[in-house]
């Protein structure tokens, strides 16, 4: 489950809980790789590298990818749309 607020992207998968500040996100890009933390249940996922992540980034798979990206871009002006994802300006 993914929940966006103005100051946090909260990720919940089973017993794992993770909170990421939007200003720590380096980018969010489409990915079909199997490396990193897998909070994604499909091959159609997004890779989220962020500052402070011990392995570089995580994979997520929001049900409505476009709505998720639009909502995050609206809440985080430093992230702009690029190549099907978001990148930090």
């Amino acid at each position: 489950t993914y929940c966006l607020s103005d100051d946090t992207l909260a990720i919940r998968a089973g017993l794992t809980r993770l909170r990421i500040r939007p200003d720590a996100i380096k980018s969010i890009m489409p990915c079909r790789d199997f490396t990193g933390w897998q909070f994604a249940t499909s091959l159609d996922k997004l890779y989220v590298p962020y500052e402070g992540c011990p392995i570089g980034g995580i994979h997520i798979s929001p049900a409505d990818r476009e709505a998720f990206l639009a909502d995050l871009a609206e809440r985080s002006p430093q992230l702009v749309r690029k190549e099907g994802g978001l990148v930090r300006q």
Side-chain angles (χ1 to χ4, degrees):
T1 306
Y2 314 103
C3 182
L4 284 172
S5 68
D6 288 336
D7 63 346
T8 251
L9 164 59
I11 300 169
R12 185 175 61 201
L15 298 175
T16 303
R17 306 284 190 268
L18 182 62
R19 293 187 176 284
I20 303 170
R21 293 181 340 272
D23 63 338
I25 296 173
K26 298 176 183 177
S27 65
I28 299 181
M29 298 303 289
C31 178
R32 293 185 179 270
D33 190 7
F34 287 103
T35 61
W37 287 349
Q38 300 287 323
F39 296 110
T41 56
S42 76
L43 288 176
D44 189 26
K45 56 192 166 193
L46 298 169
Y47 179 63
V48 185
Y50 65 95
E51 295 170 7
C53 182
I55 61 167
I58 60 168
H59 293 92
I60 61 173
S61 182
D64 187 341
R65 177 195 286 195
E66 287 306 312
F68 175 83
L69 291 171
D71 190 18
L72 187 57
E74 184 177 317
R75 294 170 189 265
S76 306
Q78 78 276 9
L79 296 172
V80 295
R81 295 298 295 254
K82 183 177 180 182
E83 299 174 12
L86 299 170
V87 295
R88 189 188 294 174
Q89 279 184 315

PDB file of all heavy atoms in Angstrom, residues 11 18 20 24-28 31 33-39 46-60:
ATOM      1  N   ILE A  11       5.035   3.638   2.601  1.00  0.00           N
ATOM      2  CA  ILE A  11       4.924   2.356   1.912  1.00  0.00           C
ATOM      3  C   ILE A  11       4.723   1.278   2.969  1.00  0.00           C
ATOM      4  O   ILE A  11       5.461   1.208   3.948  1.00  0.00           O
ATOM      5  CB  ILE A  11       6.201   2.061   1.093  1.00  0.00           C
ATOM      6  CG1 ILE A  11       6.397   3.163   0.050  1.00  0.00           C
ATOM      7  CG2 ILE A  11       6.126   0.682   0.453  1.00  0.00           C
ATOM      8  CD1 ILE A  11       7.728   3.135  -0.633  1.00  0.00           C
ATOM      9  N   LEU A  18       7.748   1.781   5.619  1.00  0.00           N
ATOM     10  CA  LEU A  18       8.809   2.658   5.163  1.00  0.00           C
ATOM     11  C   LEU A  18       8.227   4.036   4.899  1.00  0.00           C
ATOM     12  O   LEU A  18       7.139   4.148   4.327  1.00  0.00           O
ATOM     13  CB  LEU A  18       9.420   2.075   3.882  1.00  0.00           C
ATOM     14  CG  LEU A  18      10.575   2.781   3.221  1.00  0.00           C
ATOM     15  CD1 LEU A  18      11.779   2.832   4.148  1.00  0.00           C
ATOM     16  CD2 LEU A  18      10.947   2.075   1.935  1.00  0.00           C
ATOM     17  N   ILE A  20       9.333   7.821   3.224  1.00  0.00           N
ATOM     18  CA  ILE A  20      10.322   8.540   2.432  1.00  0.00           C
ATOM     19  C   ILE A  20       9.857   9.987   2.287  1.00  0.00           C
ATOM     20  O   ILE A  20       8.717  10.229   1.881  1.00  0.00           O
ATOM     21  CB  ILE A  20      10.472   7.912   1.028  1.00  0.00           C
ATOM     22  CG1 ILE A  20      10.837   6.439   1.135  1.00  0.00           C
ATOM     23  CG2 ILE A  20      11.511   8.669   0.213  1.00  0.00           C
ATOM     24  CD1 ILE A  20      10.769   5.696  -0.185  1.00  0.00           C
ATOM     25  N   ALA A  24      13.726  13.759  -0.570  1.00  0.00           N
ATOM     26  CA  ALA A  24      14.823  12.786  -0.619  1.00  0.00           C
ATOM     27  C   ALA A  24      14.784  11.954  -1.896  1.00  0.00           C
ATOM     28  O   ALA A  24      15.760  11.284  -2.233  1.00  0.00           O
ATOM     29  CB  ALA A  24      14.762  11.863   0.592  1.00  0.00           C
ATOM     30  N   ILE A  25      13.665  11.989  -2.618  1.00  0.00           N
ATOM     31  CA  ILE A  25      13.517  11.189  -3.843  1.00  0.00           C
ATOM     32  C   ILE A  25      14.369  11.792  -4.956  1.00  0.00           C
ATOM     33  O   ILE A  25      14.255  12.973  -5.262  1.00  0.00           O
ATOM     34  CB  ILE A  25      12.036  11.103  -4.261  1.00  0.00           C
ATOM     35  CG1 ILE A  25      11.240  10.360  -3.187  1.00  0.00           C
ATOM     36  CG2 ILE A  25      11.907  10.419  -5.626  1.00  0.00           C
ATOM     37  CD1 ILE A  25       9.737  10.377  -3.419  1.00  0.00           C
ATOM     38  N   LYS A  26      15.218  10.958  -5.550  1.00  0.00           N
ATOM     39  CA  LYS A  26      16.083  11.406  -6.643  1.00  0.00           C
ATOM     40  C   LYS A  26      15.357  11.324  -7.985  1.00  0.00           C
ATOM     41  O   LYS A  26      15.554  12.161  -8.853  1.00  0.00           O
ATOM     42  CB  LYS A  26      17.351  10.567  -6.690  1.00  0.00           C
ATOM     43  CG  LYS A  26      18.193  10.697  -5.433  1.00  0.00           C
ATOM     44  CD  LYS A  26      19.387   9.773  -5.493  1.00  0.00           C
ATOM     45  CE  LYS A  26      20.198   9.841  -4.221  1.00  0.00           C
ATOM     46  NZ  LYS A  26      21.320   8.905  -4.248  1.00  0.00           N
ATOM     47  N   SER A  27      14.563  10.284  -8.157  1.00  0.00           N
ATOM     48  CA  SER A  27      13.772  10.107  -9.380  1.00  0.00           C
ATOM     49  C   SER A  27      12.787   8.965  -9.147  1.00  0.00           C
ATOM     50  O   SER A  27      12.886   8.241  -8.157  1.00  0.00           O
ATOM     51  CB  SER A  27      14.661   9.791 -10.586  1.00  0.00           C
ATOM     52  OG  SER A  27      15.297   8.541 -10.423  1.00  0.00           O
ATOM     53  N   ILE A  28      11.863   8.831 -10.067  1.00  0.00           N
ATOM     54  CA  ILE A  28      10.965   7.675 -10.098  1.00  0.00           C
ATOM     55  C   ILE A  28      10.829   7.309 -11.563  1.00  0.00           C
ATOM     56  O   ILE A  28      10.322   8.099 -12.361  1.00  0.00           O
ATOM     57  CB  ILE A  28       9.577   7.998  -9.502  1.00  0.00           C
ATOM     58  CG1 ILE A  28       9.699   8.412  -8.045  1.00  0.00           C
ATOM     59  CG2 ILE A  28       8.650   6.793  -9.650  1.00  0.00           C
ATOM     60  CD1 ILE A  28       8.382   8.729  -7.378  1.00  0.00           C
ATOM     61  N   CYS A  31      10.614   0.546 -14.578  1.00  0.00           N
ATOM     62  CA  CYS A  31      11.686  -0.439 -14.453  1.00  0.00           C
ATOM     63  C   CYS A  31      11.115  -1.848 -14.546  1.00  0.00           C
ATOM     64  O   CYS A  31      10.014  -2.106 -14.089  1.00  0.00           O
ATOM     65  CB  CYS A  31      12.385  -0.244 -13.110  1.00  0.00           C
ATOM     66  SG  CYS A  31      13.686  -1.414 -12.787  1.00  0.00           S
ATOM     67  N   ASP A  33      13.444  -4.434 -13.683  1.00  0.00           N
ATOM     68  CA  ASP A  33      14.582  -5.089 -13.047  1.00  0.00           C
ATOM     69  C   ASP A  33      14.129  -5.822 -11.781  1.00  0.00           C
ATOM     70  O   ASP A  33      13.113  -5.507 -11.203  1.00  0.00           O
ATOM     71  CB  ASP A  33      15.617  -4.022 -12.692  1.00  0.00           C
ATOM     72  CG  ASP A  33      16.946  -4.599 -12.255  1.00  0.00           C
ATOM     73  OD1 ASP A  33      17.120  -5.827 -12.348  1.00  0.00           O
ATOM     74  OD2 ASP A  33      17.801  -3.821 -11.824  1.00  0.00           O
ATOM     75  N   PHE A  34      14.895  -6.801 -11.341  1.00  0.00           N
ATOM     76  CA  PHE A  34      14.560  -7.549 -10.132  1.00  0.00           C
ATOM     77  C   PHE A  34      15.526  -7.288  -8.980  1.00  0.00           C
ATOM     78  O   PHE A  34      15.521  -7.994  -8.002  1.00  0.00           O
ATOM     79  CB  PHE A  34      14.535  -9.054 -10.420  1.00  0.00           C
ATOM     80  CG  PHE A  34      13.335  -9.457 -11.219  1.00  0.00           C
ATOM     81  CD1 PHE A  34      13.457  -9.713 -12.566  1.00  0.00           C
ATOM     82  CD2 PHE A  34      12.100  -9.553 -10.624  1.00  0.00           C
ATOM     83  CE1 PHE A  34      12.353 -10.086 -13.307  1.00  0.00           C
ATOM     84  CE2 PHE A  34      10.978  -9.921 -11.353  1.00  0.00           C
ATOM     85  CZ  PHE A  34      11.115 -10.185 -12.702  1.00  0.00           C
ATOM     86  N   THR A  35      16.377  -6.250  -9.086  1.00  0.00           N
ATOM     87  CA  THR A  35      17.303  -5.942  -8.003  1.00  0.00           C
ATOM     88  C   THR A  35      16.669  -4.955  -7.038  1.00  0.00           C
ATOM     89  O   THR A  35      15.702  -4.284  -7.362  1.00  0.00           O
ATOM     90  CB  THR A  35      18.606  -5.348  -8.554  1.00  0.00           C
ATOM     91  OG1 THR A  35      18.306  -4.137  -9.236  1.00  0.00           O
ATOM     92  CG2 THR A  35      19.306  -6.311  -9.476  1.00  0.00           C
ATOM     93  N   GLY A  36      17.199  -4.853  -5.848  1.00  0.00           N
ATOM     94  CA  GLY A  36      16.695  -3.888  -4.864  1.00  0.00           C
ATOM     95  C   GLY A  36      15.527  -4.434  -4.075  1.00  0.00           C
ATOM     96  O   GLY A  36      15.114  -5.582  -4.227  1.00  0.00           O
ATOM     97  N   TRP A  37      15.003  -3.603  -3.186  1.00  0.00           N
ATOM     98  CA  TRP A  37      13.840  -3.983  -2.382  1.00  0.00           C
ATOM     99  C   TRP A  37      12.620  -4.029  -3.270  1.00  0.00           C
ATOM    100  O   TRP A  37      12.320  -3.089  -3.991  1.00  0.00           O
ATOM    101  CB  TRP A  37      13.617  -2.980  -1.265  1.00  0.00           C
ATOM    102  CG  TRP A  37      14.611  -3.090  -0.164  1.00  0.00           C
ATOM    103  CD1 TRP A  37      15.521  -4.092   0.043  1.00  0.00           C
ATOM    104  CD2 TRP A  37      14.810  -2.163   0.896  1.00  0.00           C
ATOM    105  NE1 TRP A  37      16.265  -3.838   1.164  1.00  0.00           N
ATOM    106  CE2 TRP A  37      15.845  -2.667   1.708  1.00  0.00           C
ATOM    107  CE3 TRP A  37      14.209  -0.967   1.235  1.00  0.00           C
ATOM    108  CZ2 TRP A  37      16.288  -1.995   2.831  1.00  0.00           C
ATOM    109  CZ3 TRP A  37      14.650  -0.304   2.357  1.00  0.00           C
ATOM    110  CH2 TRP A  37      15.674  -0.820   3.143  1.00  0.00           C
ATOM    111  N   GLN A  38      11.893  -5.113  -3.219  1.00  0.00           N
ATOM    112  CA  GLN A  38      10.746  -5.334  -4.095  1.00  0.00           C
ATOM    113  C   GLN A  38       9.430  -5.179  -3.332  1.00  0.00           C
ATOM    114  O   GLN A  38       8.962  -6.111  -2.703  1.00  0.00           O
ATOM    115  CB  GLN A  38      10.819  -6.735  -4.709  1.00  0.00           C
ATOM    116  CG  GLN A  38      12.042  -6.982  -5.544  1.00  0.00           C
ATOM    117  CD  GLN A  38      12.003  -6.265  -6.871  1.00  0.00           C
ATOM    118  OE1 GLN A  38      10.963  -6.143  -7.494  1.00  0.00           O
ATOM    119  NE2 GLN A  38      13.129  -5.766  -7.306  1.00  0.00           N
ATOM    120  N   PHE A  39       8.853  -3.984  -3.374  1.00  0.00           N
ATOM    121  CA  PHE A  39       7.512  -3.765  -2.835  1.00  0.00           C
ATOM    122  C   PHE A  39       6.530  -3.739  -3.997  1.00  0.00           C
ATOM    123  O   PHE A  39       5.450  -3.176  -3.883  1.00  0.00           O
ATOM    124  CB  PHE A  39       7.443  -2.445  -2.051  1.00  0.00           C
ATOM    125  CG  PHE A  39       8.326  -2.457  -0.841  1.00  0.00           C
ATOM    126  CD1 PHE A  39       9.462  -1.682  -0.784  1.00  0.00           C
ATOM    127  CD2 PHE A  39       8.015  -3.262   0.240  1.00  0.00           C
ATOM    128  CE1 PHE A  39      10.271  -1.691   0.333  1.00  0.00           C
ATOM    129  CE2 PHE A  39       8.826  -3.283   1.366  1.00  0.00           C
ATOM    130  CZ  PHE A  39       9.952  -2.491   1.405  1.00  0.00           C
ATOM    131  N   LEU A  46       7.861   0.808 -10.734  1.00  0.00           N
ATOM    132  CA  LEU A  46       8.637   2.034 -10.722  1.00  0.00           C
ATOM    133  C   LEU A  46       9.815   1.858  -9.767  1.00  0.00           C
ATOM    134  O   LEU A  46       9.659   1.306  -8.682  1.00  0.00           O
ATOM    135  CB  LEU A  46       7.777   3.205 -10.240  1.00  0.00           C
ATOM    136  CG  LEU A  46       6.565   3.551 -11.093  1.00  0.00           C
ATOM    137  CD1 LEU A  46       5.662   4.530 -10.360  1.00  0.00           C
ATOM    138  CD2 LEU A  46       7.008   4.121 -12.430  1.00  0.00           C
ATOM    139  N   TYR A  47      10.983   2.337 -10.186  1.00  0.00           N
ATOM    140  CA  TYR A  47      12.168   2.313  -9.332  1.00  0.00           C
ATOM    141  C   TYR A  47      12.310   3.685  -8.692  1.00  0.00           C
ATOM    142  O   TYR A  47      12.273   4.708  -9.375  1.00  0.00           O
ATOM    143  CB  TYR A  47      13.409   1.964 -10.142  1.00  0.00           C
ATOM    144  CG  TYR A  47      14.670   1.938  -9.316  1.00  0.00           C
ATOM    145  CD1 TYR A  47      14.826   1.023  -8.284  1.00  0.00           C
ATOM    146  CD2 TYR A  47      15.695   2.836  -9.567  1.00  0.00           C
ATOM    147  CE1 TYR A  47      15.980   0.990  -7.520  1.00  0.00           C
ATOM    148  CE2 TYR A  47      16.858   2.809  -8.808  1.00  0.00           C
ATOM    149  CZ  TYR A  47      16.988   1.889  -7.784  1.00  0.00           C
ATOM    150  OH  TYR A  47      18.127   1.862  -7.032  1.00  0.00           O
ATOM    151  N   VAL A  48      12.465   3.715  -7.366  1.00  0.00           N
ATOM    152  CA  VAL A  48      12.538   4.958  -6.598  1.00  0.00           C
ATOM    153  C   VAL A  48      13.867   5.012  -5.839  1.00  0.00           C
ATOM    154  O   VAL A  48      13.966   4.503  -4.721  1.00  0.00           O
ATOM    155  CB  VAL A  48      11.358   5.059  -5.591  1.00  0.00           C
ATOM    156  CG1 VAL A  48      11.376   6.406  -4.882  1.00  0.00           C
ATOM    157  CG2 VAL A  48      10.025   4.820  -6.277  1.00  0.00           C
ATOM    158  N   PRO A  49      14.917   5.609  -6.438  1.00  0.00           N
ATOM    159  CA  PRO A  49      16.138   5.833  -5.676  1.00  0.00           C
ATOM    160  C   PRO A  49      15.944   7.059  -4.786  1.00  0.00           C
ATOM    161  O   PRO A  49      15.369   8.048  -5.214  1.00  0.00           O
ATOM    162  CB  PRO A  49      17.194   6.088  -6.749  1.00  0.00           C
ATOM    163  CG  PRO A  49      16.450   6.567  -7.931  1.00  0.00           C
ATOM    164  CD  PRO A  49      15.065   5.979  -7.833  1.00  0.00           C
ATOM    165  N   TYR A  50      16.388   6.959  -3.531  1.00  0.00           N
ATOM    166  CA  TYR A  50      16.228   8.105  -2.639  1.00  0.00           C
ATOM    167  C   TYR A  50      17.398   8.193  -1.675  1.00  0.00           C
ATOM    168  O   TYR A  50      18.061   7.197  -1.387  1.00  0.00           O
ATOM    169  CB  TYR A  50      14.894   8.039  -1.886  1.00  0.00           C
ATOM    170  CG  TYR A  50      14.754   6.888  -0.926  1.00  0.00           C
ATOM    171  CD1 TYR A  50      15.051   7.045   0.423  1.00  0.00           C
ATOM    172  CD2 TYR A  50      14.324   5.638  -1.360  1.00  0.00           C
ATOM    173  CE1 TYR A  50      14.919   5.988   1.313  1.00  0.00           C
ATOM    174  CE2 TYR A  50      14.194   4.581  -0.483  1.00  0.00           C
ATOM    175  CZ  TYR A  50      14.497   4.766   0.853  1.00  0.00           C
ATOM    176  OH  TYR A  50      14.375   3.720   1.725  1.00  0.00           O
ATOM    177  N   GLU A  51      17.657   9.400  -1.215  1.00  0.00           N
ATOM    178  CA  GLU A  51      18.747   9.651  -0.272  1.00  0.00           C
ATOM    179  C   GLU A  51      18.480   8.912   1.029  1.00  0.00           C
ATOM    180  O   GLU A  51      17.370   8.906   1.532  1.00  0.00           O
ATOM    181  CB  GLU A  51      18.860  11.144  -0.007  1.00  0.00           C
ATOM    182  CG  GLU A  51      19.263  11.934  -1.230  1.00  0.00           C
ATOM    183  CD  GLU A  51      19.142  13.430  -1.031  1.00  0.00           C
ATOM    184  OE1 GLU A  51      18.862  13.885   0.096  1.00  0.00           O
ATOM    185  OE2 GLU A  51      19.320  14.144  -2.026  1.00  0.00           O
ATOM    186  N   GLY A  52      19.496   8.249   1.526  1.00  0.00           N
ATOM    187  CA  GLY A  52      19.379   7.522   2.779  1.00  0.00           C
ATOM    188  C   GLY A  52      19.006   6.060   2.623  1.00  0.00           C
ATOM    189  O   GLY A  52      18.995   5.319   3.599  1.00  0.00           O
ATOM    190  N   CYS A  53      18.724   5.609   1.411  1.00  0.00           N
ATOM    191  CA  CYS A  53      18.392   4.203   1.202  1.00  0.00           C
ATOM    192  C   CYS A  53      19.686   3.387   1.193  1.00  0.00           C
ATOM    193  O   CYS A  53      20.593   3.675   0.405  1.00  0.00           O
ATOM    194  CB  CYS A  53      17.650   4.007  -0.114  1.00  0.00           C
ATOM    195  SG  CYS A  53      17.172   2.291  -0.406  1.00  0.00           S
ATOM    196  N   PRO A  54      19.789   2.373   2.050  1.00  0.00           N
ATOM    197  CA  PRO A  54      21.038   1.613   2.139  1.00  0.00           C
ATOM    198  C   PRO A  54      21.394   0.845   0.871  1.00  0.00           C
ATOM    199  O   PRO A  54      22.555   0.523   0.658  1.00  0.00           O
ATOM    200  CB  PRO A  54      20.801   0.661   3.312  1.00  0.00           C
ATOM    201  CG  PRO A  54      19.338   0.635   3.533  1.00  0.00           C
ATOM    202  CD  PRO A  54      18.788   1.916   2.997  1.00  0.00           C
ATOM    203  N   ILE A  55      20.414   0.557   0.027  1.00  0.00           N
ATOM    204  CA  ILE A  55      20.713  -0.169  -1.219  1.00  0.00           C
ATOM    205  C   ILE A  55      20.445   0.675  -2.454  1.00  0.00           C
ATOM    206  O   ILE A  55      20.391   0.157  -3.556  1.00  0.00           O
ATOM    207  CB  ILE A  55      19.921  -1.488  -1.288  1.00  0.00           C
ATOM    208  CG1 ILE A  55      18.429  -1.228  -1.257  1.00  0.00           C
ATOM    209  CG2 ILE A  55      20.360  -2.440  -0.198  1.00  0.00           C
ATOM    210  CD1 ILE A  55      17.595  -2.422  -1.622  1.00  0.00           C
ATOM    211  N   GLY A  56      20.234   1.952  -2.284  1.00  0.00           N
ATOM    212  CA  GLY A  56      20.063   2.849  -3.418  1.00  0.00           C
ATOM    213  C   GLY A  56      18.631   3.212  -3.713  1.00  0.00           C
ATOM    214  O   GLY A  56      18.314   4.356  -3.987  1.00  0.00           O
ATOM    215  N   GLY A  57      17.721   2.234  -3.704  1.00  0.00           N
ATOM    216  CA  GLY A  57      16.329   2.530  -4.019  1.00  0.00           C
ATOM    217  C   GLY A  57      15.431   1.332  -3.822  1.00  0.00           C
ATOM    218  O   GLY A  57      15.888   0.253  -3.447  1.00  0.00           O
ATOM    219  N   ILE A  58      14.153   1.539  -4.091  1.00  0.00           N
ATOM    220  CA  ILE A  58      13.148   0.490  -3.937  1.00  0.00           C
ATOM    221  C   ILE A  58      12.302   0.421  -5.206  1.00  0.00           C
ATOM    222  O   ILE A  58      12.296   1.334  -6.015  1.00  0.00           O
ATOM    223  CB  ILE A  58      12.232   0.746  -2.724  1.00  0.00           C
ATOM    224  CG1 ILE A  58      11.510   2.079  -2.900  1.00  0.00           C
ATOM    225  CG2 ILE A  58      13.017   0.706  -1.433  1.00  0.00           C
ATOM    226  CD1 ILE A  58      10.397   2.298  -1.921  1.00  0.00           C
ATOM    227  N   HIS A  59      11.574  -0.680  -5.358  1.00  0.00           N
ATOM    228  CA  HIS A  59      10.620  -0.842  -6.450  1.00  0.00           C
ATOM    229  C   HIS A  59       9.216  -0.827  -5.868  1.00  0.00           C
ATOM    230  O   HIS A  59       8.957  -1.482  -4.860  1.00  0.00           O
ATOM    231  CB  HIS A  59      10.836  -2.183  -7.165  1.00  0.00           C
ATOM    232  CG  HIS A  59      12.131  -2.257  -7.888  1.00  0.00           C
ATOM    233  ND1 HIS A  59      13.269  -2.758  -7.305  1.00  0.00           N
ATOM    234  CD2 HIS A  59      12.481  -1.893  -9.136  1.00  0.00           C
ATOM    235  CE1 HIS A  59      14.266  -2.709  -8.175  1.00  0.00           C
ATOM    236  NE2 HIS A  59      13.810  -2.181  -9.294  1.00  0.00           N
ATOM    237  N   ILE A  60       8.330  -0.078  -6.531  1.00  0.00           N
ATOM    238  CA  ILE A  60       6.929  -0.045  -6.125  1.00  0.00           C
ATOM    239  C   ILE A  60       6.060  -0.246  -7.357  1.00  0.00           C
ATOM    240  O   ILE A  60       6.524  -0.085  -8.483  1.00  0.00           O
ATOM    241  CB  ILE A  60       6.551   1.265  -5.397  1.00  0.00           C
ATOM    242  CG1 ILE A  60       6.760   2.467  -6.313  1.00  0.00           C
ATOM    243  CG2 ILE A  60       7.350   1.403  -4.104  1.00  0.00           C
ATOM    244  CD1 ILE A  60       6.251   3.772  -5.722  1.00  0.00           C
TER     245      ILE A  60
END
